[in-house]
Amino acid sequence: MKYTIRLLVAVFFLFIATGRAAAQIPNTRIYDGEKLVKVKARMQEKEYAPAIARLMSDADKALKSKPVSVMDKDMVAASGDKHDYMSMGPYWWPDPSKPDGLPYIRKDGIRNPDATSDRTNIGKTIGNILTLGTAYYFSGNEKYAAKAAELARVWFLNPETRMNPNMNYGQMIPGRNGGKGRGFGMIDAYSFVELLDVIEMMSTSATFTKADHKGIKNWFTEYLEWIRTSSVANEERTAENNHGLAFDVQQTIYALFTGDSALARKTIHEFAEKRLFPQIEPDGKQPRELARTTGFGYTNFNLIHMMDMCAVCRTLGIDIYNSISKDGRSMAKALEYMASFVGKPQSEFPYQQIKGWEREMQTSCWILRRASFYDKNSDWEEISRKYMNTPETDRRYLLYSLE
């Protein structure tokens, strides 16, 4: 009898422990929650320790950062409201033939260093929150979550400083369209998809409170409504290149975060036929990306969006990776085309890539690593291992592990 009682007690506590472990799996969409748990359990081992040390160092620096907001910019959107996000198209420059430089002209692939405005500060804010939130997840130290909460409140929640939940003036072009933004501006905030993962990774924090989480959810509910109804957002929805694909990833993640599973599943259901196949040729080329002055970079850029959608779909038990058209268009074909240039000199790439070839080689290796999660029979991880020389301190070893 005593043995039976002891056995029942042992089973009870095992059940409780198992439940707690399961509860600790973060509800992430881009990062694999189960992999994160496994990495956390082994974070002091040789494989991960250098990246953990660098993460904590970066987080300690982020603790000293001053919160910034849309109110800090010198320029003001055509609305006259500083709370409206505003940025300039990155590849647009003053026309040297005009006394006032207006309207600006396009130089594809060449970034105008003056095209900053809110784009710089949104990058700083999201970058610091990603660092701090990830550091909290792996360390459990509330000081990191507290700082992340401070930055998030300033950018999204505080009435005096919050960004209005729209991108009506993103990537505007001086001298064109009356100062209104373009659908392309949504890409300025693509890192929101990772931000929401990190917010979920702070779900156990006492200092990134439930009220903070609710406030962020409300902000994204309003933002999603803008996405669904705005003519500016509709430009991005109908884009036929990487912007359209990125739109679907963003809409899906925001819908899931705010509880609109119907919109998320509808977007996913239409994704392959509506978005994926029209952008990939049967031989794997992405002609709209290859037409750019940094054709290999934009090929990678779109592949990252594809991997993000694969990750989101996996959390719903949906396999989007293996979608294939009747004439053979697929993610695997697009990866195959990209991988054919990995480890080779730029001279063998038959399109333009005016800068950053070696950097793009490493980006390709990380894309292939992520692709190996969905295609265990491929050579993607083998190719990635062969050519990857990313420093062992890189955070991606924690976020996209082989666990």
Side-chain angles (χ1 to χ4, degrees):
M1 180 68 177
K2 290 182 179 179
Y3 172 80
T4 302
I5 293 174
R6 285 198 299 269
L7 179 62
L8 289 172
V9 170
V11 170
F12 172 77
F13 280 108
L14 178 61
F15 174 79
I16 293 297
T18 302
R20 285 176 178 167
Q24 291 172 357
I25 298 175
N27 186 30
T28 48
R29 301 294 179 180
I30 301 297
Y31 313 143
D32 187 315
E34 292 185 1
K35 287 178 180 284
L36 290 174
V37 170
K38 292 176 182 178
V39 172
K40 186 175 182 179
R42 298 180 53 222
M43 65 182 184
Q44 297 306 328
E45 295 181 17
K46 182 179 179 181
E47 184 176 355
Y48 301 119
I52 289 290
R54 175 60 184 272
L55 170 63
M56 296 308 163
S57 175
D58 290 345
D60 287 338
K61 293 176 183 176
L63 286 173
K64 302 173 184 177
S65 63
K66 177 185 176 182
V68 292
S69 77
V70 288
M71 305 304 288
D72 295 328
K73 60 179 174 289
D74 295 324
M75 301 174 68
V76 183
S79 65
D81 186 351
K82 266 200 168 186
H83 290 276
D84 283 331
Y85 177 93
M86 179 186 177
S87 68
M88 288 169 50
Y91 304 133
W92 293 82
W93 295 72
D95 185 343
S97 69
K98 306 290 178 61
D100 59 359
L102 300 177
Y104 274 29
I105 58 175
R106 188 168 184 259
K107 298 181 181 180
D108 187 34
I110 305 175
R111 288 186 175 271
N112 183 342
D114 296 324
T116 53
S117 197
D118 284 324
R119 186 169 187 164
T120 299
N121 282 342
I122 200 173
K124 288 179 181 177
T125 298
I126 303 308
N128 282 331
I129 294 174
L130 294 180
T131 295
L132 292 159
T134 306
Y136 166 77
Y137 176 77
F138 284 108
S139 70
N141 194 322
E142 286 287 349
K143 67 180 181 181
Y144 298 128
K147 185 65 178 184
E150 177 190 2
L151 300 179
R153 289 168 193 154
V154 169
W155 193 272
F156 293 104
L157 303 180
N158 294 349
E160 300 83 6
T161 58
R162 75 190 291 262
M163 170 186 166
N164 288 335
N166 70 69
M167 296 292 283
N168 285 327
Y169 302 95
Q171 292 205 19
M172 54 78 67
I173 304 167
R176 297 176 184 268
N177 199 29
K180 295 179 182 178
R182 302 176 296 156
F184 292 154
M186 279 187 65
I187 209 78
D188 288 5
Y190 187 81
S191 56
F192 281 169
V193 301
E194 291 181 85
L195 169 75
L196 296 186
D197 266 9
V198 167
I199 286 174
E200 295 293 356
M201 290 162 66
M202 292 189 287
S203 62
T204 58
S205 170
T207 51
F208 198 105
T209 66
K210 291 182 179 178
D212 292 324
H213 193 280
K214 182 179 179 181
I216 296 293
K217 182 177 179 180
N218 289 340
W219 192 95
F220 274 92
T221 298
E222 292 183 62
Y223 186 52
L224 184 60
E225 181 62 18
W226 174 83
I227 287 173
R228 297 175 75 162
T229 60
S230 164
S231 60
V232 175
N234 192 55
E235 292 176 11
E236 196 79 335
R237 178 185 291 104
T238 56
E240 297 179 345
N241 63 353
N242 67 83
H243 281 270
L245 208 152
F247 176 92
D248 280 4
V249 177
Q250 292 174 88
Q251 178 168 267
T252 302
I253 289 177
Y254 305 154
L256 290 171
F257 182 74
T258 58
D260 193 343
S261 60
L263 176 60
R265 289 184 178 276
K266 179 178 184 295
T267 308
I268 291 169
H269 177 72
E270 297 173 348
F271 181 75
E273 292 288 343
K274 174 183 174 182
R275 198 71 79 182
L276 189 65
F277 299 155
Q279 295 193 31
I280 302 172
E281 293 297 300
D283 62 1
K285 293 177 183 175
Q286 300 177 56
R288 294 175 182 84
E289 312 311 323
L290 291 171
R292 305 296 294 271
T293 59
T294 51
F296 196 80
Y298 271 97
T299 292
N300 276 341
F301 190 50
N302 212 21
L303 283 166
I304 290 171
H305 299 151
M306 294 180 203
M307 293 302 100
D308 287 347
M309 187 58 101
C310 285
V312 176
C313 290
R314 174 174 275 192
T315 67
L316 301 174
I318 299 171
D319 174 16
I320 202 77
Y321 175 88
N322 286 304
S323 300
I324 184 168
S325 70
K326 293 179 180 179
D327 59 353
R329 302 162 194 259
S330 68
M331 287 191 203
K333 278 293 184 180
L335 289 161
E336 193 177 295
Y337 181 78
M338 174 268 279
S340 69
F341 299 102
V342 174
K344 294 181 180 179
Q346 183 174 344
S347 58
E348 295 193 24
F349 183 62
Y351 298 90
Q352 285 193 81
Q353 178 65 31
I354 63 174
K355 59 184 178 181
W357 181 257
E358 291 305 321
R359 181 184 68 247
E360 292 301 335
M361 289 294 99
Q362 292 308 297
T363 300
S364 293
C365 288
W366 283 101
I367 291 168
L368 292 172
R369 168 179 278 209
R370 293 182 66 187
S372 72
F373 302 162
Y374 314 108
D375 192 349
K376 299 296 184 183
N377 296 321
S378 69
D379 295 329
W380 303 146
E381 177 54 24
E382 182 180 345
I383 298 170
S384 177
R385 283 181 185 273
K386 182 176 181 180
Y387 295 106
M388 186 182 287
N389 56 28
T390 305
E392 60 184 1
T393 55
D394 195 289
R395 195 181 309 171
R396 286 173 291 186
Y397 288 111
L398 308 175
L399 302 176
Y400 303 116
S401 76
L402 297 174
E403 293 290 343

